[in-house]
Amino acid sequence: MPEIQMPKLSDTMTEGTLVAWKKKKGDQVSAGEVLAEIETDKATMEWESPEDGTLTEIYVEEGGKVNVGDRIAFIGGEGEEAPKEEKKEEKEKKPETKEEEKGKEKPKEAKKEEKPEAPKAEEKEKKKTALPKAEKKEPEAEERPPTVEKPEEARVKASPVARRVAAELGIDLSSVKGTGPEGRVTETDVRAAAKSVAAVSDRGPAKGEPKAAPAIKAGESARIQLSGMRKIIAQRLVESLGPIPHFYLTVEVNAGPLMEARAELKSAGESADAAKITVNDFVLKAAVQAAVKVPRVNASFEGDAIVQYADVDLGIAVAIEEGLLTPVIRAAQNKSLCEISELAKDLANRARNKRMKPEEFQGGTFTVSNLGGMGIDSFSAVINPPQGFILAIGKITKLPVIDCDQIVVGHRMSLTMSCDHRVIDGALGAEYLKELRHLLENPALLLV
């Protein structure tokens, strides 16, 4: 049976956070059964067990960060035990502590000649402010009376992350109640304990609560550490605007027929599926159908070639609190307006709740980003590499327009196409936008 390692759940993932275990140590698991929730740089997702067996050992507690490829658990067969590496490490540590005990007497004698009380006060201060330095500090710690903290902490079951955080915050692990498997202390337990003593601790808020950015008061400056997602967004934008030669094409669409079609569908009743179709769903369907009519835009640049895709894999830009995700509707050219509407809503909802599978937000042949619902008239979006273009959709605005030599109220919507000039020339982009405008101004064509 295998040693379970932190999986690579996205193309940019280098480490993951183990959010929650869905099974406890000793539980029986089956292949395909949800074993844990893992947070990547893009989403939080359920991870399934690759094997049948017993969850014999859990190496990483909830809240712990682990590099891709590092072990997190062991699933054993009947009667099989996890590798006894940890016991070997303990045996190696025991002789060291005995040697320390032997060497403990000499420092004691030396300190009897000096005045012991002053050094003890200094040691207390050092212990509170500095991380424990394994072998040198332990003999000094053992000099203390039976109320010593170190031996107790050594016996406390705690994750490596919890021990590190406890050392940073000056928290005594033996006083923390563990909520992990078999009462093991997790990082969350340590941080909760730190908050309870924040009123009397000068060090707690500074190091113990790095995620306190939302509490910044108006008028105050602050340095906010980048999350994994924000790092990836920054990296991708540099990769895009740097080497990719962007150019932009904008058209204005008569959205009157679109609004009328939406109103007719809504009149079918709230319970009908058609009533749930939004203007954005029409735009998504039209963008896909236009790419089918003008297939050369459904492509990307790859070294010394342009790759033209058979399927239209539609990316949908979804804003979430931490940044942006682009879930993908696969082979969207084979899906009806209702199907695209349902898939778009489901993917957007799961993206906002970080409940997506890796394959659901990877790839895509082009992306649609709609800020119309947020009151934006028009904007230019940055291409998501290696895609050939991205569409930016603005809001529908009522404007005075001339119709048959008369000024009437019309509905207008702005569309901007950001193109990779290595893949799409101006004339090709214009041909695509012409087809897209035709479909949006004749929405009945999207219902076929």
Side-chain angles (χ1 to χ4, degrees):
M1 287 290 173
E3 187 175 72
I4 307 301
Q5 299 175 338
M6 174 61 74
K8 189 178 178 71
L9 297 175
S10 76
D11 51 354
T12 55
M13 179 179 171
T14 57
E15 66 174 15
T17 301
L18 212 149
V19 178
W21 284 104
K22 297 299 184 182
K23 294 288 182 180
K24 293 181 291 185
K25 184 177 173 181
D27 284 355
Q28 292 290 322
V29 294
S30 303
E33 192 175 4
V34 176
L35 190 63
E37 282 187 8
I38 294 174
E39 182 180 7
T40 71
D41 54 348
K42 293 182 177 178
T44 299
M45 56 196 71
E46 293 179 335
W47 184 55
E48 298 173 352
S49 172
E51 297 282 342
D52 294 332
T54 303
L55 186 57
T56 309
E57 190 59 67
I58 290 176
Y59 298 120
V60 180
E61 301 306 323
E62 293 181 354
K65 285 189 177 181
V66 186
N67 291 328
V68 170
D70 285 359
R71 65 179 188 174
I72 60 174
F74 185 87
I75 296 177
E78 196 172 333
E80 186 179 4
E81 293 183 3
K84 298 181 180 179
E85 290 179 14
E86 289 186 20
K87 290 185 179 178
K88 286 180 184 177
E89 288 174 17
E90 285 174 16
K91 285 178 184 176
E92 287 171 8
K93 286 181 184 177
K94 281 180 185 176
E96 289 177 13
T97 54
K98 284 178 184 176
E99 286 174 17
E100 287 168 2
E101 284 173 10
K102 287 177 185 176
K104 187 173 64 175
E105 296 177 26
K106 289 182 183 177
K108 274 188 178 180
E109 288 173 11
K111 287 189 180 183
K112 278 179 186 176
E113 293 173 12
E114 298 170 5
K115 292 181 181 178
E117 292 187 25
K120 281 186 181 179
E122 288 175 9
E123 284 164 24
K124 282 182 183 178
E125 288 301 313
K126 283 179 184 175
K127 272 187 176 268
K128 287 179 182 176
T129 55
L131 289 170
K133 291 188 179 177
E135 294 174 11
K136 290 185 181 178
K137 295 284 180 187
E138 282 175 14
E140 294 176 10
E142 288 176 7
E143 291 174 18
R144 305 199 177 186
T147 55
V148 185
E149 292 177 8
K150 281 281 178 187
E152 288 178 19
E153 285 191 19
R155 279 186 240 111
V156 172
K157 287 187 177 181
S159 68
V161 177
R163 290 186 184 277
R164 175 174 58 76
V165 174
E168 289 175 0
L169 303 181
I171 298 297
D172 177 7
L173 281 175
S174 62
S175 66
V176 180
K177 185 179 179 182
T179 60
E182 298 183 351
R184 191 167 292 186
V185 177
T186 67
E187 181 189 3
T188 306
D189 300 329
V190 175
R191 293 198 181 279
K195 285 181 182 178
S196 67
V197 295
V200 291
S201 173
D202 294 328
R203 298 176 301 282
K207 288 187 179 179
E209 298 177 33
K211 293 183 181 178
I216 297 168
K217 294 178 181 177
E220 287 186 356
S221 299
R223 179 182 172 85
I224 301 171
Q225 196 67 26
L226 287 180
S227 64
M229 181 177 289
R230 295 282 352 157
K231 286 178 184 175
I232 295 301
I233 290 172
Q235 178 188 327
R236 299 283 282 175
L237 289 175
V238 171
E239 288 173 357
S240 180
L241 278 175
I244 296 177
H246 284 59
F247 77 95
Y248 310 94
L249 300 172
T250 302
V251 294
E252 192 175 71
V253 173
N254 176 11
L258 203 57
M259 297 296 285
E260 290 172 8
R262 169 76 186 94
E264 285 179 21
L265 291 175
K266 198 171 182 180
S267 66
E270 292 298 326
S271 59
D273 290 339
K276 298 172 185 175
I277 293 173
T278 65
V279 169
N280 188 58
D281 296 331
F282 276 104
V283 172
L284 295 177
K285 176 62 176 174
V288 170
Q289 209 157 306
V292 173
K293 294 284 184 72
V294 188
R296 286 192 297 149
V297 299
N298 192 45
S300 65
F301 185 80
E302 194 176 281
D304 58 353
I306 292 174
V307 179
Q308 187 169 312
Y309 301 103
D311 285 333
V312 179
D313 293 335
L314 175 65
I316 307 165
V318 178
I320 61 175
E321 190 176 344
E322 295 87 351
L324 186 75
L325 278 178
T326 52
V328 178
I329 297 177
R330 306 286 175 189
Q333 78 277 7
N334 298 327
K335 293 176 171 58
S336 67
L337 178 60
C338 282
E339 288 173 327
I340 286 177
S341 175
E342 288 171 8
L343 283 169
K345 288 177 179 64
D346 175 59
L347 288 170
N349 181 58
R350 287 193 288 118
R352 292 187 183 100
N353 289 291
K354 289 188 174 183
R355 290 294 180 270
M356 295 187 67
K357 296 175 183 176
E359 61 270 18
E360 291 178 320
F361 55 76
Q362 291 175 358
T365 55
F366 71 89
T367 298
V368 174
S369 179
N370 192 337
L371 292 179
M374 302 178 78
I376 301 300
D377 293 320
S378 65
F379 67 104
S380 300
V382 179
I383 296 170
N384 185 17
Q387 297 174 8
F389 75 97
I390 184 170
L391 277 176
I393 315 299
K395 71 175 183 178
I396 294 175
T397 309
K398 283 185 178 182
L399 294 173
V401 295
I402 298 175
D403 184 22
C404 298
D405 295 332
Q406 291 187 350
I407 298 175
V408 296
V409 176
H411 293 84
R412 294 293 182 267
M413 179 171 62
S414 173
L415 309 179
T416 300
M417 182 181 184
S418 305
C419 306
D420 180 348
H421 216 322
R422 300 170 301 177
V423 181
I424 300 170
D425 294 322
L428 180 59
E431 185 182 350
Y432 174 79
L433 286 178
K434 180 182 177 182
E435 183 61 39
L436 178 58
R437 175 161 54 187
H438 174 67
L439 290 168
L440 289 173
E441 293 181 349
N442 298 275
L445 297 173
L446 301 173
L447 301 173
V448 177

